[in-house]
Amino acid sequence: MADPAKHPADLPACPSTQGGGLLPPELRAWMLMRATMGAVEQRLRSVVKERLDVSHDEFLVLCLLAEQPEGGLRMTRIAELLGRPKTRLTYQIACLQRAGLVTRRSACGDRRGIEVTVTDQARRLLEEASGTLAETITEALATCVGQAEQDALSGLLPGLTGEARAE
């Protein structure tokens, strides 16, 4: 685990992956992932608001849409992937549309279905902020997980490698 001395005094260290408690390894790993994601999201919230002027939940929608090679996603699929109620998502999409960051249209062949697509403006904003966002994620992860966990994650997050930090 990360050195507890590096944590701010008001934040406890992330749960241990070493065991010693009552939880089986699978549940312990899940708790570590939740704690780690919480640390990342906490740091990202302010950076996202400052750099993109959107809420954290709206940012998640933009990220999901930006990863689509072409076209968009139906509202129901976005709600499923983000684990959000459709009613809440409708509000977030409306906010993003007013800001010029997404477009909505009827899904092909289904009048009831709505497809959402990220705009070029949103792509530019995400691209401009991507370095800062990646750095924020890397810093947050480094405070929550130890070297062994960072090594395990480095295949998914190249910014966690010692080589990338030294550059």
Side-chain angles (χ1 to χ4, degrees):
M1 292 308 310
D3 180 0
K6 292 182 182 177
H7 292 279
D10 59 340
L11 294 177
C14 288
S16 173
T17 59
Q18 306 308 311
L22 296 174
L23 301 178
E26 296 82 2
L27 195 50
R28 194 176 313 114
W30 175 71
M31 289 301 297
L32 177 63
M33 286 189 297
R34 291 205 37 96
T36 302
M37 290 308 300
V40 170
E41 289 186 355
Q42 184 67 27
R43 288 191 180 205
L44 267 180
R45 286 181 199 286
S46 61
V47 174
V48 164
K49 188 64 177 167
E50 179 184 310
R51 295 297 308 265
L52 303 173
D53 196 29
V54 297
S55 72
H56 181 72
D57 286 342
E58 292 164 357
F59 171 67
L60 295 177
V61 171
L62 289 177
C63 287
L64 186 59
L65 293 172
E67 283 298 296
Q68 301 308 305
E70 55 187 62
L73 286 173
R74 292 176 72 124
M75 296 264 294
T76 53
R77 184 65 177 143
I78 296 169
E80 286 173 5
L81 291 170
L82 295 178
R84 302 286 192 267
K86 263 184 71 174
T87 53
R88 177 75 182 141
L89 181 63
T90 300
Y91 172 76
Q92 293 165 342
I93 296 295
C95 291
L96 290 168
Q97 188 176 21
R98 278 193 299 278
L101 301 176
V102 300
T103 59
R104 290 193 288 192
R105 66 174 186 209
S106 293
C108 185
D110 183 358
R111 293 184 322 177
R112 295 175 300 160
I114 301 292
E115 186 175 88
V116 182
T117 307
V118 70
T119 64
D120 289 338
Q121 176 186 348
R123 288 185 190 282
R124 277 192 308 279
L125 282 172
L126 286 168
E127 191 174 317
E128 290 168 5
S130 66
T132 303
L133 296 169
E135 186 177 303
T136 301
I137 291 166
T138 300
E139 289 172 0
L141 287 172
T143 64
C144 197
V145 297
Q147 191 59 52
E149 292 89 357
Q150 288 181 34
D151 291 344
L153 284 170
S154 67
L156 295 171
L157 301 165
L160 280 179
T161 64
E163 296 165 7
R165 254 192 244 133
E167 292 176 348

